[in-house]
């Protein structure tokens, strides 16, 4: 058998990417105030800002789009998608939403009270924000291994069961349900094992608490279980996914990830308990329960995408792609969160810019350098995103300085990854010439999206 794992698809429709020169990029980045979020996407050569809603749909999905039933109530497209979702999740109640954060908002608004507490391995930003907005304490309980970038562990997304149990005992009266995010995006796209899912579900059940999974990347998680968890080698990814869902009482989903669509999301629930409350919030904020803020055609594309996202050839190639880039980075002596996750590689900027003071934002500086060197756009996950300027002008800094390169599904080929590896290695060679930044203008919250910067030195 040849060793090369090929992209398991052919390209039928292409989108040209615009080449730029370094001089162009210097001008464009200066115009964007040294903030890659402010660049026009067409000035980016390889856009690895996010894997969310940015992937390529298949010809079957585009075909399904023409079959969208745009009826306001009871559209055929709703029932078609419901059947696919019920088969995979085993849950009878399905509510479409326009994306993942809407699913969170609808469910949490329906069932949480001010003063509640929700445990999770790690809450994604929007999950945390939606809970905190309602006065709910969002508690991260990922295992200690999950917080050490260089440490290799097969399931760094696992929740710490001892900590979860202690919390359920001490604060059980405040906990409306327990959550688990698969894969754990905030922790590096790391998977959760079936053993951990099973044990956490049993723990919650023993305390009478429902179990809600955030399943944006459930198919990638299921593939990791197949590849890494003894006993699952010969189980199909679809059956593994079904088993994952069988332990849960409900789930929130951003279909922009493993359902392979550009927009969409949903809630599923096993029991009737929360349905009426959730539907009422949905009708107020998203739309009628059989379309939930989406067009019928979006529901059709999602029904096909959910099936395609579970195909094993695709998932094998998908996880291998991230691993391949990791190997190239290892060869260049560049540190990253190990092992590589499902959807992204998180570069440890401190291994590229070891001498740069944190006050000059090394991960932000690396992000800028990747754009200038090769037109690559990633996201800083460091002290611009998680640090704060206090009223007295001093700053707090984040513990890690990472750059996330997140891969849109079915979009980039191996040569794009080879090119990126070369660019990153080149940036490391020239590290002594890379300048840090200072922030010249910033909003009070979520400053990374809109802040303006200037070079230091
Ligand atoms: N949960 C997780 C684990 C996510 O990664 C995301 C989105 C959401 C919920 C929210 O879903 O965007 O459809 O509203 N993550 C994207 C990212 C934005 O870039 O990681 P959404």
């Amino acid at each position: 058998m040849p060793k090369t794992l090929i992209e398991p698809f052919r390209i039928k429709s292409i989108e040209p990417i615009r080449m730029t020169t370094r001089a162009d990029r210097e001008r464009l980045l200066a115009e964007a105030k040294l903030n890659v979020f402010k660049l026009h996407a067409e000035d980016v050569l390889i856009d690895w800002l996010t894997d969310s809603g940015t992937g390529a749909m298949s010809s079957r999905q585009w075909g399904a789009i023409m079959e969208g039933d745009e009826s306001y109530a009871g559209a055929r497209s709703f029932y078609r998608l419901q059947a696919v979702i019920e088969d995979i999740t085993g849950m009878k109640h399905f509510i479409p939403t326009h994306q993942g954060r809407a699913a969170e908002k609808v469910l949490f608004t329906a069932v949480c009270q001010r003063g509640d507490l929700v445990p999770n391995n790690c809450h994604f930003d929007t999950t945390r924000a939606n809970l905190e907005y309602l006065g709910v304490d969002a508690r991260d309980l990922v295992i200690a291994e999950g917080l050490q970038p260089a440490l290799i562990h097969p399931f760094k997304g696992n929740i710490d069961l001892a900590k979860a149990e202690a919390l359920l005992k001490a604060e059980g009266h405040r906990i409306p349900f327990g959550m688990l995010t698969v894969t754990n995006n905030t922790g590096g796209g790391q998977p959760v094992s079936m053993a951990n899912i099973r044990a956490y579900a049993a723990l919650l059940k023993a305390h009478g608490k429902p179990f809600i999974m955030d399943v944006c990347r459930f198919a990638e998680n299921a593939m990791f279980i197949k590849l890494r968890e003894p006993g699952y080698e010969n189980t199909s990814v679809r059956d593994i996914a079904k088993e994952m869902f069988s332990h849960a009482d409900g789930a929130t989903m951003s279909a922009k990830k493993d359902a392979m669509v550009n927009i969409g999301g949903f809630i599923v629930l096993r029991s009737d308990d929360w349905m009426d409350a959730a539907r009422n919030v949905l009708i107020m904020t998203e739309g009628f329960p059989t379309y939930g803020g989406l067009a019928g055609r979006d529901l059709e594309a999602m029904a096909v995408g959910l099936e395609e996202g579970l195909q094993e050839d695709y998932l094998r190639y998908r996880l291998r792609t991230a691993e391949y880039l990791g190997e190239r980075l290892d060869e260049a002596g560049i540190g990253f969160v190990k092992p590589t996750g499902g959807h992204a590689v998180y570069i440890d900027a401190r291994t590229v810019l070891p001498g740069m003071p944190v006050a000059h934002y090394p991960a932000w500086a690396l992000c800028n350098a990747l754009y200038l060197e090769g037109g690559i756009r990633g996201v800083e996950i460091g002290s611009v995103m998680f640090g704060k300027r206090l009223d007295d002008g001093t700053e707090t800094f984040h513990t890690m300085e990472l750059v996330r390169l997140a891969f849109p599904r079915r979009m980039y080929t191996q040569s794009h990854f080879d090119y990126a590896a070369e660019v990153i290695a080149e940036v490391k060679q020239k590290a002594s010439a890379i300048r840090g930044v200072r922030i010249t203008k910033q909003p009070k919250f979520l400053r990374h999206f809109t802040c303006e910067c200037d070079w230091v030195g």
Side-chain angles (χ1 to χ4, degrees):
M1 274 287 283
K3 279 214 303 284
T4 305
L5 258 186
I6 58 169
E7 289 87 3
F9 48 80
R10 302 186 295 189
I11 297 169
K12 177 175 255 175
S13 173
I14 61 102
E15 191 176 15
I17 45 183
R18 195 165 79 84
M19 299 302 203
T20 46
T21 63
R22 179 160 184 124
D24 292 334
R25 295 193 290 272
E26 279 175 0
R27 177 179 51 78
L28 293 161
L29 191 62
E31 283 169 14
K33 307 290 183 196
L34 310 189
N35 182 345
V36 296
F37 277 105
K38 291 179 187 270
L39 290 167
H40 289 209
E42 54 173 16
D43 296 329
V44 176
L45 196 61
I46 294 197
D47 203 348
W48 286 347
L49 194 74
T50 178
D51 65 319
S52 181
T54 49
M57 291 212 297
S58 66
S59 49
R60 277 188 60 221
Q61 284 179 291
W62 285 112
I65 279 204
M66 285 308 291
E67 297 189 1
D69 175 354
E70 306 301 343
S71 304
Y72 191 93
R76 184 186 60 242
S77 305
F78 171 83
Y79 295 106
R80 174 168 182 209
L81 176 58
Q82 184 178 42
V84 171
I85 289 180
E86 190 172 347
D87 181 57
I88 296 169
T89 68
M91 300 201 208
K92 73 171 186 233
H93 298 300
F94 149 63
I95 299 179
T97 60
H98 81 272
Q99 62 184 90
R101 67 199 69 186
E104 294 161 3
K105 170 109 186 156
V106 167
L107 184 65
F108 301 163
T109 305
V111 306
C112 292
Q113 313 279 339
R114 180 164 294 278
D116 280 354
L117 185 159
V118 171
N120 202 333
N121 44 0
C122 291
H123 292 83
F124 179 66
D125 318 17
T126 60
T127 323
R128 171 175 293 284
N130 273 309
L131 287 169
E132 290 179 350
Y133 182 76
L134 294 168
V136 179
D137 183 353
R139 204 70 69 83
D140 288 350
L141 302 177
V142 70
I143 54 170
E145 291 87 338
L147 299 171
Q148 299 169 55
L151 190 134
I152 308 249
H153 180 289
F155 292 104
K156 279 171 105 172
N158 283 356
I159 193 164
D160 186 323
L161 294 164
K163 282 191 185 154
E165 182 163 20
L167 195 65
L168 281 157
K169 282 190 177 144
E171 306 265 14
H173 60 288
R174 295 174 60 200
I175 299 178
F177 53 84
M179 282 194 84
L180 195 61
T181 305
V182 298
T183 59
N184 187 20
N185 184 12
T186 308
Q190 299 292 324
V192 180
S193 70
M194 190 71 86
N196 194 252
I197 294 174
R198 199 182 298 123
Y200 183 52
L203 185 63
L204 288 167
K205 194 165 187 180
H207 286 81
K209 306 294 180 191
F211 173 24
I212 303 295
M213 281 200 291
D214 173 339
V215 294
C216 301
R217 301 179 180 87
F218 75 96
E220 290 173 6
N221 199 94
M223 188 70 193
F224 275 123
I225 288 176
K226 184 176 174 95
L227 295 173
R228 293 184 185 167
E229 191 159 349
Y232 286 95
E233 308 80 354
N234 300 319
T235 311
S236 73
V237 168
R238 193 186 183 91
D239 284 346
I240 294 173
K242 284 185 176 187
E243 187 179 336
M244 286 165 56
F245 280 106
S246 75
H247 295 295
D249 299 296
T252 55
M253 170 82 181
S254 167
K256 301 170 76 171
K257 282 81 168 177
D258 279 358
M260 318 281 257
V261 288
N262 301 123
I263 195 72
F266 59 81
I267 302 169
V268 280
L269 290 170
R270 195 175 297 286
S271 90
D272 303 340
D273 294 351
W274 291 341
M275 269 316 287
D276 288 344
R279 269 204 197 102
N280 288 340
V281 182
L282 184 88
I283 291 171
M284 265 189 302
T285 59
E286 291 282 293
F288 191 78
T290 58
Y291 72 85
L294 294 168
R297 55 180 170 271
D298 299 325
L299 304 176
E300 293 283 343
M302 202 193 299
V304 178
L306 276 167
E307 302 282 0
E308 293 182 350
L310 282 168
Q311 281 169 9
E312 298 189 11
D313 284 347
Y314 155 73
L315 284 165
R316 208 177 291 280
Y317 132 84
R318 169 94 177 140
L319 303 190
R320 175 65 193 138
T321 309
E323 187 182 56
Y324 176 78
L325 184 60
E327 287 166 7
R328 299 283 84 77
L329 295 184
D330 258 339
E331 285 161 17
I334 293 164
F336 55 94
V337 176
K338 290 187 176 172
T340 47
H343 68 295
V345 168
Y346 296 64
I347 302 176
D348 182 352
R350 288 206 171 102
T351 65
V352 182
L353 301 167
M356 184 176 287
V358 68
H360 296 176
Y361 307 111
W364 194 270
L366 177 59
C367 238
N368 284 343
L370 294 177
Y371 179 69
L372 290 177
E373 185 65 32
I376 298 170
R377 174 155 75 168
V379 170
E380 186 247 26
I381 302 183
S383 295
V384 178
M385 186 180 272
F386 289 122
K388 259 199 191 108
R389 186 159 299 171
L390 305 176
D391 289 340
D392 64 4
T394 58
E395 290 257 332
T396 61
F397 298 104
H398 189 49
T399 45
M400 289 198 269
E401 290 291 324
L402 304 176
V403 173
R404 184 185 81 167
L405 303 175
F407 314 128
R409 291 165 181 75
R410 305 186 290 200
M411 278 272 282
Y412 294 101
T413 64
Q414 184 172 350
S415 64
H416 293 111
F417 282 83
D418 284 331
Y419 168 87
E422 258 181 68
V423 169
I424 301 165
E426 194 68 28
V427 163
K428 183 164 195 285
Q429 292 294 317
K430 298 177 180 164
S432 59
I434 292 174
R435 288 188 288 170
V437 300
R438 61 190 173 83
I439 302 177
T440 54
K441 196 171 164 201
Q442 58 184 301
K444 215 168 164 55
F445 299 106
L446 298 172
R447 63 181 181 174
H448 54 290
F449 290 126
T450 57
C451 69
E452 299 183 358
C453 303
D454 202 354
W455 300 113
V456 283

